[in-house]
Amino acid sequence: MKTSIATVSTSGELPEKLEAIARAGFDGVEVFENDFLAFDGSPADVGRMVRDHGLEITLFQPFRDFEGMPEPLRSRTFDRAERKFDVMQQLATELILVCSNVSSAALGGIDRAAADFHELGERAAKRGLKVGYEALAWGKHINDHRDAWEIVRRADHPNVGLILDSFHTLSRKVDINSIRSIPKEKLFMVQLADAPLIDMDLLYWSRHFRNMPGEGDLPVAAFAAAVADTGYDGYFSLEIFNDQFRGGSTRSIATDGHRSLIYLADQVRRARAVPDLSIQPMPPRAIVNGIAFVEFSADEEEAADLVRMLETLGFQKEAVHRSKDVSLYRQGDIRLIINTDRHGFAGSSFAIHGTSAYALALVVDDATNALERAVALDAEPFCQPVVPGEVEIPAIRGVGGGVIYLIDDKSNLGRFSEIDFLPVEDETEVVSAHLLHIDHVAQTVAYDEMPTWLLFYTAIFEAQKTPMVDIIDPAGVVRSQVVENASGLLRITLNGAENRRTLAGHFMAETFGSGVQHLAFHTDDIFATAASLRQNGFKPLAISPNYYDDLEARFGLDTQLSDRLKAENILYDRDEHGEYFQLYSPTFGEGFFFEIVQRRGYAGYGAANAIFRIAAQKKHLRPDGMPKA
């Protein structure tokens, strides 16, 4: 697959855009006219700059309000076209995009439009240029690619072809099977964009809410597969209009774009009966069978505080590392590692973020394949020196620059704790709290980073994203989406913070970036767990008694159950699948916390309870973020 992206898709000035696009690995770039006009250099300068980055200018765009104009407007459109052709020749690009007319002066008629394009094709041919026609979803007379194709067909000129845009086709729910009958030589360019499903004006939706394939809800993969079935072997190019992207990181947006196209190509390759050999194969998405461990970075003083909290939760030290200042704590299938070593990446992470859950290890079906796929999708591999004889675990960089280790049962990876750690006898008197496994990991990110990490997880791992929900914080709204797999063995909640007054925003501001803000542990009996926690000296997050009065009325709970919930500070929710119980620790440090949950068929994450939990947690924070004594 040959990849391209329109300069309008990224933030920044033109030189910055081109540098990021090239670094991300694209083959070509569409030059959007406004980006060119805002640049001080000549068209020839722009062309040289593009080629110096190893890119090809795949398209110059857009040329608006051309076909079907009455005189004297018609003559002026051809004059304008000649001026655009002048620029294109200096840029050294051969294709221009003409989008369907939206002018109130435009006249309808397929034959009239075809005649205009035939003449434009004649003029373009004299200069060795080509014209691509695209149906805008809001075009006055032409808003369907099938009508645009009929105009191109009747124009009957080798220098006039069709440009398809997934947004324009999918937003109007045009049958994508119609694409398969278009001759591949008449497809001059294919543009791709996804979008969340929102019921609004098409133009406004397009101009503000497009995103990368895989980040929205449109069937872009099915669209691309239909294109591939024509035999099309040209560029697949991203054309994204998005308010968040315009203010985001130029480099991150470009990287996301390239990742989205590589992932899309893999989807198309797997969907077709005859695989497209032009698409580089990669291993399938990795199946996640659980979380092997979560690793914290800390110094000795804060590690001691963290250990005391873990002990109240029923964790005991099981082992210490052979060569590093690292301890392993365990309960049920939950492994928590505390790393106070100052010489490795954990030490660097602590220096920047303070005590944090900087790494997690996923149990996958094949760690080697998972790493290969991740790297093919532009993930950054991670490695650091290990002592001979110790296990070197494949890993990639994740949210906030943290680490995701990839572990399977092959070779020695599944035995890393036996090989790298020495068992110890923990003499601390701790009562097990009946915690069985990690239910979910909650990562807090900047809101504009959420599409990045949703795409990252769903492209690499066999998982899907849930619809976005609003988490109400007394100081604002936090947007939340979940990446989960069908087995429930992978659940990662992504919470997007927009202001630092929210608990999530405070956590990000005080820890200097995105990261894991809380871990949720699963129990089969929340009340038995609460009783054991009391024996260990655990002090739960205190929930307002008003919450329980409303809870009883809202769900019609038995008074005895309501009283038990209130006595233990357990929150409750219910959906059509079942019940959910939640018990929280107070905050640790700058807003990190632990959660204990019991699911009885419940599919969600207790979003309705978030406002009460957050209000209670904020009472445990001083203005500087440190926990109260």
Side-chain angles (χ1 to χ4, degrees):
M1 174 186 277
K2 296 191 292 185
T3 61
S4 171
I5 185 171
T7 55
V8 73
S9 304
T10 68
S11 61
E13 304 295 329
L14 185 58
E16 182 184 5
K17 291 172 184 261
L18 295 177
E19 192 276 334
I21 288 167
R23 181 185 289 266
F26 285 93
D27 304 305
V29 60
E30 297 181 24
V31 174
F32 196 75
E33 187 174 49
N34 286 348
D35 287 316
F36 159 67
L37 295 176
F39 182 68
D40 290 337
S42 68
D45 292 335
V46 172
R48 280 192 295 271
M49 185 165 56
V50 171
R51 290 186 291 278
D52 285 346
H53 281 294
L55 299 167
E56 177 184 351
I57 300 178
T58 56
L59 181 66
F60 182 59
Q61 66 133 323
F63 185 46
R64 302 184 187 276
D65 297 336
F66 165 69
E67 80 283 7
M69 297 295 274
E71 291 290 1
L73 296 177
R74 183 176 186 275
S75 297
R76 290 181 196 166
T77 63
F78 283 99
D79 291 341
R80 287 193 294 118
E82 294 288 358
R83 295 288 296 273
K84 302 295 184 189
F85 291 164
D86 291 340
V87 173
M88 290 172 63
Q89 288 186 304
Q90 294 176 66
L91 287 170
T93 186
E94 67 171 20
L95 180 62
I96 187 170
L97 180 147
V98 180
C99 48
S100 59
N101 206 323
V102 299
S103 170
S104 59
L107 304 173
I110 297 289
D111 287 330
R112 178 183 288 108
D116 288 344
F117 273 103
H118 184 86
E119 182 174 342
L120 190 62
E122 286 287 288
R123 296 186 182 214
K126 292 176 181 178
R127 301 186 185 226
L129 304 177
K130 292 183 177 181
V131 175
Y133 184 41
E134 174 188 77
L136 295 178
W138 52 89
K140 182 179 180 185
H141 298 290
I142 303 299
N143 52 42
D144 185 317
H145 73 248
R146 293 170 295 190
D147 293 329
W149 162 234
E150 183 59 20
I151 289 171
V152 168
R153 190 186 70 80
R154 294 190 195 185
D156 192 24
H157 197 288
N159 291 64
V160 177
L162 185 67
I163 292 179
L164 291 174
D165 183 305
S166 63
F167 180 86
H168 296 306
T169 293
L170 298 175
S171 65
R172 295 191 68 91
K173 300 180 181 179
V174 178
D175 182 7
I176 60 174
N177 285 315
S178 59
I179 293 171
R180 292 182 165 91
S181 63
I182 301 171
K184 69 173 185 178
E185 64 272 12
K186 299 305 290 185
L187 283 177
F188 283 4
M189 175 70 79
V190 175
Q191 294 178 323
L192 298 170
D194 206 337
L197 289 177
I198 308 174
D199 185 13
M200 64 169 55
D201 174 76
L202 286 174
L203 176 58
Y204 194 83
W205 188 19
S206 175
R207 287 290 176 262
H208 299 277
F209 294 97
R210 292 193 187 202
N211 50 22
M212 304 300 180
E215 293 180 346
D217 302 310
L218 300 179
V220 181
F223 173 92
V227 172
D229 284 345
T230 68
Y232 175 78
D233 57 0
Y235 280 95
F236 283 86
S237 188
L238 298 170
E239 187 189 43
I240 311 296
F241 301 92
N242 186 291
D243 294 346
Q244 287 178 240
F245 293 2
R246 290 186 179 100
S249 162
T250 307
R251 184 172 294 181
S252 294
I253 294 164
T255 299
D256 286 355
H258 191 256
R259 175 178 292 137
S260 75
L261 288 180
I262 300 303
Y263 178 35
L264 182 69
D266 182 61
Q267 290 175 287
V268 170
R269 184 176 184 275
R270 295 176 187 280
R272 299 185 69 206
V274 180
D276 187 342
L277 298 180
S278 69
I279 297 174
Q280 185 68 31
M282 67 177 75
R285 291 193 296 170
I287 296 172
V288 179
N289 296 312
I291 297 174
F293 64 81
V294 176
E295 183 167 341
F296 292 83
S297 62
D299 64 6
E300 288 76 6
E301 180 180 353
E302 294 193 14
D305 293 335
L306 180 57
V307 167
R308 281 192 289 272
M309 178 171 279
L310 292 181
E311 288 173 346
T312 67
L313 288 166
F315 286 88
Q316 286 192 299
K317 182 188 286 189
E318 182 177 83
V320 294
H321 200 275
R322 293 179 181 274
S323 62
K324 300 175 184 176
D325 294 326
V326 178
S327 299
L328 172 62
Y329 290 79
R330 185 167 185 171
Q331 184 174 181
D333 290 332
I334 306 166
R335 290 190 183 102
L336 302 179
I337 292 174
I338 300 178
N339 190 331
T340 57
D341 198 271
R342 298 276 65 86
H343 305 294
F345 181 73
S348 301
S349 179
F350 176 79
I352 297 171
H353 304 291
T355 298
S356 64
Y358 81 101
L360 67 150
L362 301 181
V363 181
V364 296
D365 54 337
D366 190 307
T368 301
N369 283 349
L371 179 64
E372 181 183 340
R373 180 178 179 87
V375 172
L377 287 160
D378 300 325
E380 181 183 349
F382 170 83
C383 63
Q384 60 182 347
V386 298
V387 172
E390 295 178 354
V391 179
E392 184 172 356
I393 305 176
I396 55 176
R397 300 297 290 271
V399 168
V403 178
I404 299 175
Y405 290 104
L406 303 167
I407 291 177
D408 60 24
D409 292 328
K410 302 174 182 180
S411 65
N412 286 326
L413 290 178
R415 299 177 54 245
F416 78 94
S417 61
E418 302 170 30
I419 297 172
D420 289 4
F421 286 81
L422 297 171
V424 296
E425 286 292 332
D426 189 354
E427 298 179 357
T428 306
E429 293 291 332
V430 173
V431 176
S432 171
H434 317 290
L435 305 182
L436 302 176
H437 58 81
I438 293 176
D439 183 87
H440 61 273
V441 176
Q443 297 182 318
T444 296
V445 302
Y447 175 59
D448 59 7
E449 291 180 8
M450 285 186 66
T452 295
W453 295 111
L454 288 167
L455 177 64
F456 175 89
Y457 284 120
T458 56
I460 297 172
F461 303 106
E462 183 69 55
Q464 55 283 329
K465 61 181 185 292
T466 64
M468 183 178 291
V469 299
D470 291 342
I471 302 298
I472 306 302
D473 182 298
V477 177
V478 175
R479 315 292 182 184
S480 182
Q481 278 187 275
V482 179
V483 174
E484 59 186 15
N485 61 10
S487 67
L489 296 174
L490 174 67
R491 294 189 179 109
I492 297 175
T493 65
L494 289 167
N495 301 311
E498 295 186 83
N499 78 72
R500 66 172 296 165
R501 294 179 61 242
T502 62
L503 185 70
H506 172 88
F507 173 80
M508 282 191 57
E510 297 300 324
T511 58
F512 297 100
S514 305
V516 174
Q517 188 169 5
H518 89 260
L519 297 176
F521 304 131
H522 176 82
T523 178
D524 280 345
D525 189 334
I526 193 81
F527 294 107
T529 291
S532 297
L533 293 177
R534 273 198 311 278
Q535 293 183 60
N536 290 328
F538 176 80
K539 294 182 179 180
L541 181 70
I543 305 300
S544 168
N546 295 327
Y547 166 81
Y548 295 97
D549 293 338
D550 176 73
L551 189 70
E552 186 175 327
R554 182 155 45 101
F555 289 110
L557 295 183
D558 178 84
T559 302
Q560 185 177 7
L561 174 58
S562 177
D563 289 344
R564 291 187 74 190
L565 294 171
K566 182 177 180 179
E568 303 291 1
N569 289 284
I570 296 171
L571 293 96
Y572 176 89
D573 195 23
R574 183 190 298 164
D575 63 14
E576 66 272 23
H577 304 289
E579 297 178 300
Y580 193 54
F581 301 84
Q582 299 169 279
L583 178 62
Y584 288 94
S585 75
T587 53
F588 177 88
E590 302 296 348
F592 181 88
F593 58 97
F594 295 100
E595 177 184 9
I596 299 166
V597 305
Q598 181 182 356
R599 295 178 181 272
R600 292 179 179 170
Y602 181 91
Y605 297 83
N609 288 327
I611 186 171
F612 313 113
R613 179 259 300 171
I614 294 169
Q617 287 172 322
K618 284 190 169 183
K619 296 174 185 176
H620 289 263
L621 290 177
R622 293 196 186 111
D624 63 0
M626 294 304 293
K628 293 181 180 179

